[in-house]
Amino acid sequence: MGSKEKKSTIKFQKSKLKGVVKRRKEVNKFKRQIIKRQLRRGAPIDPHKDEEEGLKTVETAVDDTPQVNTEDYFCNFVIDAEETLDLDEDEEEDLDALDAFEAILDPDQNITAQGLDEDEDMDEDEEESETEDEYESEQDEDEEQDMDDSSDDSELVTLAMTNEWSAAALKKSPLAWKKLLLAFRSIVRSDEDAPKQFTYRVESSKVYIKLVRNTLKAAYPILSQHIYFLKKERYPGKTKNWPKLEKVIQLYLNNCVRFLKELSQDEVIQFVLEQLAPCTLYMGCFPKISREYLRVLLDRWSDVALSAETRSDCHKAIKHFATTAIDANRKNYMPNVLKGIYLVFANRATKINQTSLPVIQQMLEEAGDIYTVDSKASYEHASVYVRQLADHLKKAKKSQTVESFKQIYTWQFVSCLDFWASVVAATCDPSVGESSPMQAIVHPLVEVCLHTIRLNPTAQFLPLRIHLVRTLTGLIDSTGYYIPLASYLFEILSSDIFKGNPAQSDLPAFDWDLHLKTPKSYLQSKGYQDAVFNVMYDCLVDFYACLGLSIAFPELAIPAVDKLKEYLVKMKGTRFVKSIRVLIEKMETHKNYIEQKRAPIEYTPNRLEEANAFLRTTDFETTPLGNFLKKRNQQKQQ
């Protein structure tokens, strides 16, 4: 037997322990929210550490690109950190409808309740023990300050109760699922400001995990037994038992959406999305739930604090929701999804840094995938928003003021161009063999990109030019459209950057992915001069590589080779001569290769089908230019 506990300890356990535990949980929750917001904004968690590191690095290495006013892209799809969801209120009495239903179980079915891995979770008893030790030295206080828990009439859910309910619910018992739902609702709604009375309360982490898991796991098997479709009807609101179970389903979905919004753990979010997927069809019957569920998914999809795998699962859930849920008019939610994806992306892309860059790139790839589902609806949205970008650009060109330039030369505007280029690349892939309405977007989008490059072609905004050239090069590679980009790259060799002998500097390597405007300290440095030449060289090789299998490559290469020879003479004696000479050699070799391949051809250029089929089955890496590009990429990766 252990030593007898002190009277002060016993009194503390009875009167103050629960309040102390509650306060500690609230403080920890508040701290997690602060960290989550900092991660979402791309800010460092420890500001003092960041300041110390900033003193050691060059201040000019930070991108000082001005930020656009996000009111131009304001939308109701973005969820603020403190915003509450606009959902209809639900009551525990809504679940009484489940009393009229019974389980329908196959004779051979044998299901046992399973909980999450309990070894990974902290035991609540240990937490309370630590709290007791920490506060054991506190003195007795007045009874007026003690927490009065006698008014809480809710029943405490134990692990045995959870196991019993879970076993029955997983055997498709509506009554057992009702009890799980009541406890699940108390978990979700217990942190709300307005006081509520619940039938059950949960205080154990083990009970919490198992209860959440089995409530979600049992939902669709039970609902699908009583909400079934006849003939070709796919709208749940027209099924036989829908009027009886509508409130039950609404309560379940309401609390699932609220629960999903507050989650921060990747594994739990992935599990919730997996279990909610079959129930997505029911959401179409509730406009408010559908809207808020989409907003939560978009918020999770763009959250930099989550893992790439979790964001990918959110993308799959968004796509599934867009194609599965239908409203009372038998229309899906694809228009809302297409609009929400773009507007949330525009809201998140106001600043690019090392934290947000991978998230933005992933969003670009996954957005294009969703826009391929309905090309007609995609075109309707793309035409509106590309025209909006063009209008912003026209106003800037007309006013010709510094403020107007600041509205265009921002990460938000450039990222929006990247977005539509990615969408066009995904929807206008020539390998599919079908014409897409999105092809009509190519010309206006390219025009906006090229005019953006020409808006203020100064040396400081060279990173923006490189960024858009890369975007358009990717568009050429994906769609096969020809965009004249060589002149924008050759102009770089004529710039003042390559004049004179710049001084050596200790500046860090220039990252083209994180800048739209070059800091002034880099402009006269030798390292930046090398970086400009290398990125121009790579862009030039990539551009002509996209056209490497074109039957017209020799005609495209001749002026490029002449231009390179001209710069070879001008830059004689510099460290760049060798690289230019190698590129001239590879271009001429590849030009001769294409001329040999097309020599036996008898058809004329006006026969486009035969011309487009030229070398279609040839592996580009086996060609002279393709082999050169492959080796260069391997060298950069080493």
Side-chain angles (χ1 to χ4, degrees), residues 2-10 13 132 136:
S3 59
K4 187 176 180 180
E5 293 182 342
K6 299 179 182 179
K7 290 184 179 180
S8 59
T9 302
I10 297 174
Q13 291 175 339
E132 176 187 346
E136 187 176 5

Side-chain angles (χ1 to χ4, degrees), residues 122 138 160 188 198 268 307 379 385 419 462 483 579 622 626 634:
M122 183 179 66
E138 290 189 2
V188 176
F198 302 104
V268 182
S307 66
Y379 169 73
Y385 290 118
F419 181 93
L462 180 59
I483 304 172
S579 298
T622 61
Q634 290 175 349

Side-chain angles (χ1 to χ4, degrees), residues 514-580:
L514 302 180
H515 292 81
L516 291 181
K517 184 179 179 181
T518 307
K520 292 182 179 180
S521 59
Y522 276 88
L523 292 176
Q524 303 300 327
S525 65
K526 184 178 180 180
Y528 181 68
Q529 189 183 68
D530 292 339
V532 171
F533 180 82
N534 289 332
V535 74
M536 183 281 304
Y537 195 88
D538 290 337
C539 289
L540 203 59
V541 174
D542 291 338
F543 170 68
Y544 282 102
C546 293
L547 309 169
L549 296 180
S550 171
I551 196 172
F553 182 84
E555 286 71 25
L556 296 172
I558 290 173
V561 171
D562 292 342
K563 201 72 174 176
L564 288 171
K565 289 180 179 179
E566 179 183 336
Y567 286 115
L568 186 63
V569 176
K570 291 182 179 180
M571 304 181 76
K572 187 176 181 180
T574 65
R575 58 190 180 280
F576 308 120
V577 171
K578 183 178 178 180
S579 298
I580 296 177

Side-chain angles (χ1 to χ4, degrees), residues 32 36 116 120-121 208-209 259-272 300 303 305-307 310:
R32 287 195 298 270
K36 184 178 178 182
L116 291 175
E120 297 178 357
D121 302 287
Y208 174 96
I209 294 172
F259 186 61
L260 184 62
K261 177 181 179 292
E262 300 300 329
L263 291 177
S264 59
Q265 296 179 342
D266 292 288
E267 296 80 4
V268 182
I269 294 176
Q270 293 171 19
F271 176 78
V272 172
R300 308 276 81 182
D303 194 341
L306 300 180
S307 66
T310 302

Side-chain angles (χ1 to χ4, degrees), residues 96-103 172-175 222 225-227 241-242 244-245 248:
D96 292 342
L98 289 172
D99 298 339
F101 293 89
E102 297 180 356
K172 302 182 180 180
S173 169
L175 296 180
I222 292 175
Q225 282 191 323
H226 308 288
I227 303 294
N241 292 322
W242 181 261
K244 300 178 182 178
L245 294 175
V248 176

Side-chain angles (χ1 to χ4, degrees), residues 283-300:
M283 292 185 181
C285 303
F286 307 102
K288 282 190 176 182
I289 294 178
S290 298
R291 182 182 65 249
E292 298 304 311
Y293 178 60
L294 175 59
R295 295 178 69 207
V296 171
L297 286 180
L298 291 171
D299 181 70
R300 308 276 81 182

Side-chain angles (χ1 to χ4, degrees), residues 500-519:
N501 295 319
Q504 291 282 1
S505 65
D506 297 331
L507 294 171
F510 189 79
D511 194 336
W512 295 93
D513 292 330
L514 302 180
H515 292 81
L516 291 181
K517 184 179 179 181
T518 307

